Amino acid sequence: MRRLMAGLVCLLLLTGCGGERGAEWSAFAPGEAERLVIYTSHPQSLYEPIVREFEERTGVWVQVRTGGTAELLDQLEAEKEQPVCDLLFGGGTDSLTARRELFEPYISPQAERLDPALYCEDGSWSAFSVTPVVLIYNPVLVRMNRPTGWKSLLDPVWRGRIAFASPFVSGGSYTALATMKQVLPEEDVLEAFYRNLDGRVLSEIGAVVDEVADAVADGSCTVGVTLEAAALEAAEAGKDVALLYPEEGTGAVVDGMAIVAGCAHEENARRFVDFALGADVQRRLLERCWRGPVRGELIREETDIVVLDYDLDCAAAERDAILRQWRELETAW
């Protein structure tokens, strides 16, 4: 029976770990006590091996739905009276902090091994990984006068040539906007940046920051804003993408996990959080996923990045106002 279930799990993973097709296999699923529903903004290359290993170690049957952080948070809001999801896996902790009422506090026993700077005092989320926001460009098309930092994105020379995912879909894009506001406080940076996008925003469902690299690599855009992990993965795959760290400094995005308040499988969600914070998964982030781990003994100091003292609480508090202004800019365009 164990081998049969393992085979079914592998088949589900090949079709997106359940996803929209989960209902087709529901007849083969175990009882409620051995289930877990995860919503994730992570790319399949990151979440799939972790979910598979969790299933194999625990016997818990996992269903996964993917999407951008912002859209998944909106989905959780819509479902809060009857939660479908048990665990939100992924998303900048600024976005999670802004919607903390959706989550059930939990402090993992593994928390004592985390870098103290990455610890959430109220337990509404747990840190999972760290990856800076970076700028990328196409080295074939941009051979001279490449961008140097956040200020460069306001230069008219890049008008209509910037790849940027909608902050209503992507939590990483929201973090980028909040970072720009903190780095360039003297500017009306949102209006100036939106004007320089010239109406080109990757706003389709699923157009998350990972796809920004594809837009730059295929030449439809020449520069873009994304996460370091997505840029490094694209470069490793041989795509025409080069990355740079903004000269003004950039925030290291703390990517989190949060248990949904009132969820049906809270104990299994806790088990997943504990597992994801364990040494095996955290070492995998460092060695295979181009992401920084959050366990103190695995963290390495970066020497070539100007790290911004990103104000997480400010970014969370301003989230509604920033998104409201962005919507007004879209409407007025």
Side-chain angles (χ1 to χ4, degrees), residues 170-223:
S170 165
S173 286
Y174 172 74
T175 300
L177 294 179
T179 299
M180 281 190 269
K181 280 183 65 68
Q182 292 182 28
V183 168
L184 303 171
E186 72 282 1
E187 303 271 358
D188 186 356
V189 68
L190 293 187
E191 182 175 353
F193 178 58
Y194 190 86
R195 182 169 59 249
N196 227 26
L197 292 176
D198 201 27
R200 296 187 61 176
V201 179
L202 299 177
S203 58
E204 296 83 2
I205 297 300
V208 294
V209 288
D210 302 59
E211 296 184 18
V212 169
D214 291 334
V216 172
D218 67 21
S220 58
C221 293
T222 50
V223 300

Side-chain angles (χ1 to χ4, degrees), residues 72-83 99 102:
L72 292 177
L73 285 168
D74 288 343
Q75 186 65 30
L76 292 180
E77 177 68 32
E79 296 170 352
K80 67 181 180 181
E81 298 302 323
Q82 293 184 305
R99 306 292 286 275
L102 296 173

